[in-house]
Amino acid sequence: MDELQLITERTASVPLAESGALASARERLMTEIAAAEAENVTPLRKRRRWVWTGVGAAGLAAAITAVVALAPVEQVGLEPPAAAADPVTVLRNAAAAALKTPGTAPKPDQFVYTRTKQPDGEREAWLSADGTRDGLIKMADGGSFPIAGCRNGRAQVYKGDEPIEGVTEPCTPTPAYRTDLPTDADAMFAYLNANHSGHDGDVNAMGKDVLTLANENYLPPAVRAALFGAAAKMPGLRAIDHAQDAAGRPGVGITWPLRRGDDRKVAKPVVIVFAADTFQYLGTNSTAVTASGVVDAAGQRP
């Protein structure tokens, strides 16, 4: 394969950046060229032609791709990913974006509201911030059911959406406002690896637990940043340049390997989708977070 063909293949799917965004990358490229030339000096009288000494075809293609693919993400102060997105870079940028998101702690008696778009319609959830109040779930089919709060170690037992008078069961509060989680990516990764629903090292189970925390929980900025930072440490991640969430919003997607034994003709990989310009978490290819906030009562919307 010659150099031009390799460069063409590497840059075929890469959108051109604006000229103003190319300056720093061009400067870095020319510095590398100069360094390579300086290390391989040949007397002028012996030179027949100028060659890319020390830079093979693959290296040249990568260097040119780096310049062409430079995206104007520098506007938000984040590390720009290549057009053929690197999953670790995307998740680290998502973590940086989450850390800069302002967050106001909900009061203990408030509720975390989330509306999600799913294949069968919309789901709405009102979950108790401290886990002691009765929350509510409204399903896409119009049905609803309560989420019992846990007070003094006991929770009301319901039959359908009606409480059974005088009947309670033991419980532990499950707060929707998660201040109990690590704020460091390494610690968060250890937490996920120890507490996810699968076996140790089960990337699929760990990925689903990341989504459980990201979708219908209110996470302080440092916790959400740690969550995406921990996700970047999962092995086998793959990026999808042109992904869409369940609401049809475009973005860059991150996915992970299917479990051993999954039928690859039937199993549908989960794709986490982030906005390509802001790295805001949008949802997945099957569940999109379309609204969220804090409200004073179950059933109330922000």
Side-chain angles (χ1 to χ4, degrees), residues 91 188 192 196 203-217 219 224 226-228 230-232 234 256 272 274 281:
L91 285 164
M188 179 67 81
L192 292 170
H196 63 65
V203 176
N204 188 62
M206 186 183 292
K208 289 180 178 179
D209 282 356
V210 169
L211 296 177
T212 297
L213 290 171
N215 281 343
E216 292 185 346
N217 287 277
L219 305 180
R224 185 168 286 266
L227 182 66
F228 294 142
M234 292 166 53
W256 53 84
I272 306 177
F274 298 92
Y281 172 73

Side-chain angles (χ1 to χ4, degrees), residues 4-16 65 68 83 242:
L4 291 179
Q5 182 180 353
L6 180 58
I7 293 169
T8 300
E9 291 183 359
R10 289 292 300 272
T11 60
S13 62
V14 178
L16 292 177
T65 300
V68 176
H242 305 292

Side-chain angles (χ1 to χ4, degrees), residues 2 12 17 32 34 42 47 64 93 104 121 140 150 164 176 187 196 211 215 218 226 234 246 269 280 296:
D2 63 32
E32 293 295 330
T42 302
R47 292 182 183 177
I64 294 178
N93 283 346
T104 302
C150 181
I164 301 177
H196 63 65
L211 296 177
N215 281 343
Y218 190 101
M234 292 166 53
Q280 177 187 1
D296 294 328

Side-chain angles (χ1 to χ4, degrees), residues 231-265:
K233 299 176 181 295
M234 292 166 53
L237 296 175
R238 184 170 60 88
I240 300 174
D241 283 341
H242 305 292
Q244 284 190 343
D245 69 6
R249 295 175 298 186
V252 58
I254 304 295
T255 189
W256 53 84
L258 295 172
R259 294 174 299 183
R260 293 191 192 96
D262 282 342
D263 187 342
R264 297 181 179 275
K265 296 180 180 179

Side-chain angles (χ1 to χ4, degrees), residues 48-74:
R48 296 285 187 262
R49 58 189 178 92
W50 188 55
V51 295
W52 287 73
T53 314
V55 183
L60 173 57
I64 294 178
T65 300
V67 175
V68 176
L70 184 65
V73 184
E74 294 174 340

